[in-house]
Amino acid sequence: MEDIGRFDGWPYHQWGFDPKNLCRLHNLGIEKHNFSATHLSVRLERQSPFLTHLQLFTMNTCKFIKRLVENESNTLQDGSLIDLCGATLLWRTPAGLRHIPTLKQLESLRQELNAARPQCPVGFNTLAFPSLAQREIVDKKQPWVYVNCGHVHGYHNWGYRKERGPNSPGGTAPAGTGERECPMCRRVGPYVPLWLGCEGGLYLDAGPPTHAFCPCGHVCSEKTVVGWSQIPLPHGTHAFHAACPFCGTWLTGEQGHVKLIFQGPVD
């Protein structure tokens, strides 16, 4: 049995349980003011099928220990999420890991994207995804996307959405939101660089990187973006919100992701 962590104080417990099940906790004699510490452990079976179990205990001020998973399965499955005092852990099984891309495969996917020679539909310059080791440094050839429509372009510093100036009737001024108007379809929205997700353990399959999370621009397979956009992750002590697994940015838009529209070479 491996001890993962311990935390003193009520805020962790307050959002750690489904509000619909609070009545069950009260029936067990567990009151809000009685919590003083928790003990979270992982138990690994030594025999086949080598299941993994999560055990959570609480200790009140009288040093009385109660188990909080009385009527629920505590067997970890592939993709189980464990929230530990604000840090969300992702559990992957050996069977699940066999379906995700390795770092070498991710590099091959990046090279395949670049080998297709995607071009900016306006500037007609060839675009290229930077190496996986190059993070947070935007390359001059890096593709950018309008996240509300999915059209992929090269970087340009024009296309800001115009709005009427507050002190100049009839005039226009750049919008303060930084949103851009896509020159292909005229849809307005964020305009961000595209980054290939480089953490294979967060992928749900090894499919081609055809979609991106909104609004951060991390690129991965369709199954991965659809899956993560439907998972509400803990935020603070009361809120849950879907987020990009690669950077933690809250997802926006109707679906939280967009299909990328590349333009091939014209020659």
Side-chain angles (χ1 to χ4, degrees), residues 233-245:
L233 299 177
H235 179 76
T237 59
H238 298 285
F240 291 84
H241 202 287
C244 172

Side-chain angles (χ1 to χ4, degrees), residues 20-29 68-72:
K20 298 179 181 179
N21 294 326
L22 286 180
C23 58
R24 179 168 63 85
L25 299 180
H26 290 303
N27 292 335
L28 292 174
L68 301 182
V69 287
E70 296 286 344
N71 300 317
E72 300 175 1

Side-chain angles (χ1 to χ4, degrees), residues 99-101 106 109 203-210 220-224:
H99 299 288
I100 67 172
L106 288 176
L109 290 174
Y203 281 70
L204 301 185
D205 68 349
T210 57
C220 54
S221 67
E222 179 180 9
K223 184 176 181 179
T224 300

